[in-house]
Amino acid sequence: MIKPYYHRDKIILVHADIFDFLKKVKSESMDMIFADPPYFLSNGGFSNSGGQAVSVNKGEWDQISSLKEKHDFNRRWIRLSKKILKANGTIWISGSLHNIYSVGMALEQEGFKILNNITWQKTNPAPNLSCRYFTHSTETILWARKADKKVKHFYNYNLMKKINNGKQMKDVWIGSSTKKSEKWAGKHPTQKPEYLLERIILASTREGDYILDPFVGSGTTGVVAKKLGRRFIGVDSEIDYLRIARTRLEKVHD
């Protein structure tokens, strides 16, 4: 039995190895999974942060020795995620070009049908330092369901249309990177903005549904899930990130 790091009302944070944890979760118990897995960019290089050159190294959790190891990692956690997802549930996975193609292949290999390839276009991307290629201004979010289930997945079509001024919502979402006002609790290298998770959660869950984030990081998924009245479980192997997530969650009022 894995003891929660934080448990209040319908929100749980767990400090654990993701594979150990997923093996213990009840089959077909989650309505939605959102995952922002490691991009595996910690290769000794440099990136741009606030106009300054900074190391891309984030920690051992973001290091990989080979393409095969990266793909095996993705197939393994996606396989375990499929087991715990309800028949009508869906999974969202975000990533950059460094990891998302492995994720997409792994989804199909493990029996998922990809529903959408969402392009998140950032209005304020950091410029590249080398000036040898185009500025990276987008990330991809794959939305998928179990391919072997005949039950229809849940999609709140009418609400998405309403949010989009009465028109069908497209698969290109435009918005800023995470605001400084959302980073007050601590530093995380890939913190997602709350508006992005709000749209994802509203599109694919109902109030009271169970949401799992297996790479919870700074806790954005949990913060938004709590605000929207969903039940939430977030897992991470890094205790420093869980401290940030807990601090943020404790400031959210139901």
Side-chain angles (χ1 to χ4, degrees):
M1 188 69 180
I2 299 176
K3 184 179 179 181
Y5 168 78
Y6 172 82
H7 185 186
R8 181 167 297 177
D9 300 324
K10 302 171 184 177
I11 306 296
I12 298 173
L13 294 177
V14 181
H15 181 220
D17 173 84
I18 184 57
F19 298 111
D20 291 341
F21 179 81
L22 288 175
K23 290 175 183 176
K24 294 178 171 64
V25 180
K26 182 181 177 182
S27 296
E28 298 200 352
S29 59
M30 294 294 135
D31 296 284
M32 190 200 97
I33 297 172
F34 173 82
D36 190 19
Y39 296 0
F40 299 119
L41 290 173
S42 297
N43 57 9
F46 292 89
S47 183
N48 185 307
S49 178
Q52 301 295 319
V54 296
S55 171
V56 298
N57 292 343
K58 301 176 180 65
E60 292 183 7
W61 59 270
D62 191 53
Q63 296 175 356
I64 209 79
S65 63
S66 67
L67 178 62
K68 183 181 185 302
E69 185 181 351
K70 174 170 68 175
H71 194 59
D72 288 346
F73 173 88
N74 285 324
R75 287 197 68 173
R76 188 180 173 198
W77 76 260
I78 287 172
R79 184 183 310 130
L80 292 170
S81 295
K82 184 185 179 187
K83 176 183 70 72
I84 67 174
L85 195 63
K86 290 182 180 179
N88 68 337
T90 54
I91 183 169
W92 301 76
I93 309 175
S94 67
S96 66
L97 61 89
H98 310 86
N99 190 32
I100 202 67
Y101 299 108
S102 168
V103 166
M105 178 64 78
L107 280 169
E108 294 194 329
Q109 289 175 320
E110 297 302 330
F112 280 92
K113 175 185 177 180
I114 297 176
L115 301 169
N116 275 116
N117 180 105
I118 304 294
T119 298
W120 172 36
Q121 181 181 342
K122 304 173 189 177
T123 55
N124 56 339
N128 70 73
L129 296 176
S130 69
C131 300
R132 293 174 59 84
Y133 40 78
F134 302 106
T135 300
H136 295 296
S137 64
T138 65
E139 289 191 35
T140 299
I141 306 170
L142 298 178
W143 186 33
R145 57 159 291 172
K146 293 182 179 182
D148 56 351
K149 298 296 182 181
K150 304 302 180 183
V151 181
K152 290 183 179 180
H153 65 278
F154 176 70
Y155 172 46
N156 201 338
Y157 170 79
N158 290 329
L159 178 58
M160 293 300 102
K161 188 175 180 180
K162 180 180 178 181
I163 291 172
N164 199 43
N165 298 316
K167 298 179 180 180
Q168 285 189 345
M169 187 172 289
K170 298 179 181 179
D171 60 0
V172 176
W173 299 353
I174 302 173
S176 68
S177 300
T178 310
K179 300 175 183 177
K180 288 185 178 180
S181 60
E182 294 180 13
K183 297 181 178 182
W184 58 271
K187 186 177 181 180
H188 187 278
T190 60
Q191 182 172 328
K192 293 294 179 286
E194 291 184 20
Y195 74 83
L196 196 65
L197 270 300
E198 180 177 321
R199 180 173 295 184
I200 287 170
I201 290 172
L202 287 175
S204 55
T205 66
R206 302 176 178 88
E207 195 167 340
D209 278 357
Y210 282 92
I211 297 173
L212 172 72
D213 187 334
F215 307 96
V216 72
S218 60
T220 300
T221 313
V223 168
V224 178
K226 186 175 181 181
K227 289 180 179 179
L228 297 177
R230 274 62 168 174
R231 304 174 192 223
F232 177 76
I233 300 174
V235 189
D236 211 288
S237 61
E238 301 293 313
I239 194 68
D240 288 343
Y241 296 152
L242 286 173
R243 291 192 184 104
I244 297 172
R246 176 175 182 167
T247 301
R248 294 179 69 195
L249 283 164
E250 288 178 339
K251 291 292 184 179
V252 177
H253 300 290
D254 296 320

